[in-house]
């Protein structure tokens, strides 16, 4: 059984009604949103999905109910993006290239925060062969978004950092325009080292307005509590020697293992 099919089985995704990507995007694209994250044991995540089944559809891509995500994050030599997140600055930002592995689709994405702390995501489609790099078109896009957000960083200053891989299931409440994602098999890669989320937990994210959604209230009933957990920040914190200790790092050590790895970074061998 593949990791993707095992996640589908473990979460009981086959029991949910399916929705196409067009239906999910029309109802809950959520490029401007508030994210809340939870680390749930796998059995609680399955119970959570079961409780969502009457209001949520699962994204179904031709019969496939999960997608493998591969993202390379870019940062300055001084790790300005990492430090902005760790220090809780209002003007936080992330730049990444993201590959949807099974579909061979790639996007350059820039995430910033607005004045109220909500996430604003901007995306540019690029060829899959451009994964892991910022070419001329991508660099211009990144510069325009960062400049408009008042962030004094240019694409020329950015280099590839941690690479994050995981398998995601996406659920959407088509009537209320909110989404829930569940990520498993999460690994972070940098240099010759890797960090992995323990297989007994799933990272759950709710994406909606500033007010908690019904999904958040269900998570509280199940014992879930929001956590401050950025995949990129964890990757850099655990795998880059000499970074100062911080709360995110301590949380990561509770649920992640680190080791040397021979797995090549995907930006060296992008999918066709």
């Amino acid at each position: 059984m593949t990791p993707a099919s095992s996640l589908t089985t473990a979460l009981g995704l086959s029991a949910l009604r399916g929705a196409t990507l067009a239906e999910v995007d029309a109802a809950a694209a959520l490029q401007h949103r508030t994210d809340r994250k939870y680390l749930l044991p796998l059995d609680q995540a399955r119970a959570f999905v079961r409780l969502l089944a009457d209001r949520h559809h699962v994204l179904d891509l031709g019969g496939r109910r999960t997608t493998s995500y591969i993202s390379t994050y870019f940062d300055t030599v001084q790790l300005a993006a990492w430090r902005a997140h760790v220090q809780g600055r209002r003007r936080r930002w992330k730049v990444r290239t993201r590959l949807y592995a099974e579909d061979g689709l790639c996007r350059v994405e820039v995430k910033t925060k607005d004045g109220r702390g909500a996430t604003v995501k901007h995306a540019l489609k690029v060829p899959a062969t451009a994964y892991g790099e910022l070419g001329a078109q991508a660099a211009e896009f990144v510069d325009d978004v960062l400049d408009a957000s008042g962030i004094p960083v240019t694409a020329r200053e950015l280099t590839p950092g941690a690479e994050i891989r995981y398998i995601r299931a996406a659920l959407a409440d088509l009537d209320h325009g909110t989404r829930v994602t569940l990520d498993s098999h999460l690994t972070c890669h940098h240099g010759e080292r890797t960090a992995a989320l323990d297989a007994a937990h799933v990272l759950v994210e709710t994406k909606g307005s500033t007010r908690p959604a019904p999904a958040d209230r269900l998570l509280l009933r199940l014992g879930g509590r929001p956590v401050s957990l950025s995949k990129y920040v964890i990757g850099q914190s655990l795998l880059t020697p000499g970074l100062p200790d911080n709360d995110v790092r301590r949380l990561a050590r509770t649920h992640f293992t680190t080791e040397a790895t021979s797995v090549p970074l995907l930006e060296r061998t992008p999918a066709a």
Side-chain angles (χ1 to χ4, degrees), residues 103-118:
D103 305 301
L105 301 177
C106 188
R107 305 201 310 180
V108 178
E109 298 181 345
V110 183
K111 296 174 70 175
T112 61
K113 293 287 186 179
D114 68 7
R116 296 187 295 178

Side-chain angles (χ1 to χ4, degrees), residues 18-258:
T20 66
L21 180 60
E23 289 173 324
V24 171
D25 281 348
L30 298 176
Q31 301 302 305
H32 192 146
R33 69 203 189 206
T34 296
D35 299 337
R36 296 176 179 86
K37 302 180 181 180
Y38 307 79
L39 271 175
L40 289 189
L42 191 56
D43 58 343
Q44 287 189 8
R46 182 182 178 90
F48 175 56
V49 169
R50 187 171 62 249
L51 290 171
L52 291 179
D54 62 335
R55 302 181 65 168
H56 288 68
H57 291 65
V58 61
L59 175 62
D60 187 299
L61 300 165
R64 191 184 79 240
R65 297 198 161 191
T66 63
T67 298
S68 300
Y69 283 55
I70 307 169
S71 300
T72 288
Y73 287 79
F74 294 80
D75 210 336
T76 67
V77 173
Q78 298 80 18
L79 296 180
W82 180 89
R83 296 182 188 281
H85 279 262
V86 169
Q87 295 168 4
R89 298 179 191 169
R90 291 183 63 187
R91 294 190 181 279
R92 301 197 295 274
W93 55 279
K94 291 177 185 172
V95 174
R96 67 190 178 205
T97 55
R98 168 165 286 177
L99 185 67
Y100 301 82
E102 292 90 348
D103 305 301
L105 301 177
C106 188
R107 305 201 310 180
V108 178
E109 298 181 345
V110 183
K111 296 174 70 175
T112 61
K113 293 287 186 179
D114 68 7
R116 296 187 295 178
T119 298
V120 184
K121 185 165 74 172
H122 307 262
L124 172 72
K125 291 183 179 179
V126 296
T129 52
Y131 171 76
E133 61 185 41
L134 297 177
Q137 182 187 17
E140 182 179 2
F141 168 74
V142 169
D143 286 344
D144 288 345
V145 174
L146 293 180
D147 181 63
S149 301
I151 297 168
V153 175
T154 65
R156 183 178 298 180
E157 302 172 68
L158 303 178
T159 59
E163 180 178 85
I164 311 298
R165 310 177 191 179
Y166 53 93
I167 298 173
R168 167 168 287 184
L171 281 59
D173 183 334
L174 303 184
D175 294 327
H176 296 87
T178 59
R179 281 195 293 130
V180 175
T181 59
L182 301 99
D183 299 336
S184 181
H185 299 83
L186 170 63
T187 58
C188 312
H189 307 265
H190 187 58
E192 299 302 319
R193 292 176 60 77
T194 186
L197 175 65
D198 73 82
H201 281 79
V202 175
L203 177 60
V204 178
E205 298 184 37
T206 63
K207 307 168 190 293
S209 66
T210 55
R211 299 182 61 182
D216 293 289
R217 293 191 285 274
L218 284 176
L219 285 163
L220 291 175
R221 281 172 45 193
L222 290 169
R225 293 294 181 270
V227 295
S228 177
L229 193 158
S230 160
K231 301 181 186 74
Y232 167 64
V233 170
I234 281 180
Q236 290 294 136
S237 296
L238 291 180
L239 303 177
T240 303
L243 289 181
D245 202 1
N246 54 74
D247 291 339
V248 171
R249 199 172 181 184
R250 285 189 286 271
L251 174 65
R253 283 173 173 165
T254 305
H255 296 285
F256 282 74
T257 57
T258 60

Side-chain angles (χ1 to χ4, degrees), residues 4-25:
S5 60
S6 66
L7 181 62
T8 298
T9 300
L11 294 179
L13 298 177
S14 298
L16 273 69
R17 296 165 294 170
T20 66
L21 180 60
E23 289 173 324
V24 171
D25 281 348

